[in-house]
Amino acid sequence: MPEVKTVFKEVLPKQGQLSMEDVPTMVLCKPRLLPLKSVTLEKLEKMQQEAQRVIKQQETAQQQEHA
Amino acid sequence: MRIGPSGKERSSVTLTMDPLFLAWSYFRRRKFQKCSNICTKVLEDNPYDQAAWSLKTRALTEMVYIDEVDVDQEGIAEMMLDDSSIAQVARPGTSLRLPGTAQGGGPSPAVRPMTQSGRPITGFVRPSTQSGRPSTMEQAIKTPRTANTTRPVTNSSGRFVRLGTASMLTNPDGPFINLSRLNLTKYAQKPNLSKTLFEYIFHHENDVKTALDLAALATEHAQFKDWWWKVQLGKCYYRLGLHREAEKQFRSALNHQEFVDTYLYLAKVYRRLDQPITALNLFKQGLDHFPREVTLLTGIARIHEEMNNITSATEYYKDVLKQDNTHVEAIACIGSNHFYTDQPEIALRFFRRLLQMGVYNCQLYNNLGLCCFYAQQYDMTLSSFERALALISSDEEQADVWYNLGHVAVGIGDLTLAYQCFKLALVFNNDHAEAYNNLAVLELRKGHIEQAKAFLQTAASLAPHMYEPHFNFAVLADKLGDLQSSYMAAQKSEDAFPEHVDTQQILKNLRQHFAVL
């Protein structure tokens, strides 16, 4: 008995509707472009950092005096 | 100074420059500390040297000078106890406080992230763009600011007071001028001294009340004919929160002298009074007198942007670029607009232009990295992000860069890397709501339901204005069968983003369920 090779052929319907269920999926938050800083803002931040640095220095100096 | 044509016979002749002249020279070269030191010495020899005194006030002012047009910080008190608004519920397109009411159709939050006040994020931050208007006191206190920097200050002058005290701390002998002992009437009558003195009091000492007194006396002395003093009065009134008085002074100054700055100050007043349309008209009036003036055009563009009308904002930014093709704000805003309208290639060109112009910071490299990735120029992506990480100046920036790197990792399918990136974002900024949300999604993929739930709840409480955590929570709760929680979360998601189709779908399904029950 000759071996019959069974060939499976896929069935693609040519007619009719194709339907799929729309499952709600989780959403990721979007990537975020970082806004550039204006010159004024940069200067403000720089001045604030500088001021904080000076105050910290003075505080440590005072603490050393006490100690 | 050594003089001699060849190096052999150098005779060392020391020539001393006139100290005041040297101080002037330092001032012109913006070496203010040196200038101030020399003036101090001159004043020690002769305390009545008016030129040195005036120059020192100017040098001290310049050290801390900030363009007043740009400065606009609303404290919590100003935001919440605002009595200058005309209508509680403004008509659409007439208020900056209801950003959803623009007719132009802003970008959807599904594509462009929103700030806490419900506006799409902008490409450029100024001190004034940092203040969004929160709707409740609780939100005002606890929500981080839009430009990821600071929480709202409790008082609009808070930042300036701190700067003022700091500048005093650096002077061991106390302040240069003792304001309480100053005879303002005497100085107001000397126009050559009064103007520098005013700027010193206003910018360096931040004593707005004294500055106001001086300006009032000086304008009286000038018989109310000097526009400069009127502008200064307006500035003082604005700082004190007396907006209508400020408006009067600026208007009066404009009658004397048409000046671009005055238009900008006046528009600032209208912005604060929440009258964007009046401000727009004013800018257009200003453009009649100063055609194609860049600052006025930028002002118009900013207002359109704040009203969520991105299309016309972009038009005006393009006009700005026609006049000044190196305008950083315009390039950055147009660039980010292109990025969020699905044209990362074009956005890339704008950000590259900024790089060519010499802007060199973490934000720009981060944006370049994102644009490269989404424009499929993968070779440049990671090196851009590496540079961004190398240029970081604060933890918040670092968190944002890692967050964006997480997106790149998600894009290439390396979920382990993505997980680590989002985790790192949280290490640097524990309030990063977006990172919490994205981590939750990744956790859920791994099957860690409880963990995902916790992350989503954290994200939702940190950023109630974002729809993503609410929506994700609704989906998750729906799957778990907790329909009530799902319904509540979906409603919150609908509040944040009414046009979101999937939210509507969930709500519809849930309502059907409940009806059947």
Side-chain angles (χ1 to χ4, degrees), chain A residues 2-33:
Chain A
E3 218 169 289
V4 182
K5 227 182 177 182
T6 46
V7 180
F8 291 108
K9 273 190 146 184
E10 73 271 26
V11 181
L12 288 174
K14 294 270 170 18
Q15 291 173 347
Q17 290 180 331
L18 182 71
S19 64
M20 59 181 263
E21 197 185 357
D22 185 22
V23 188
T25 46
M26 309 289 259
V27 281
L28 289 170
C29 284
K30 306 303 165 291
R32 185 153 137 184
L33 286 185

Side-chain angles (χ1 to χ4, degrees), chain B residues 73-81 137 140-141 145 150-162:
Chain B
Q73 278 216 320
E74 277 187 296
I76 291 184
E78 281 89 348
M79 279 182 219
M80 302 314 300
L81 310 172
M137 193 73 185
I141 294 168
R145 303 281 72 206
T150 44
R151 285 162 206 283
V153 279
T154 41
N155 181 314
S156 65
S157 48
R159 189 176 229 173
F160 302 108
V161 171
R162 286 201 296 280

Side-chain angles (χ1 to χ4, degrees), chain B residues 58 281 323 432 517:
Chain B
R58 282 185 69 187
N281 287 337
Q323 307 304 322
H432 208 292
L517 285 174

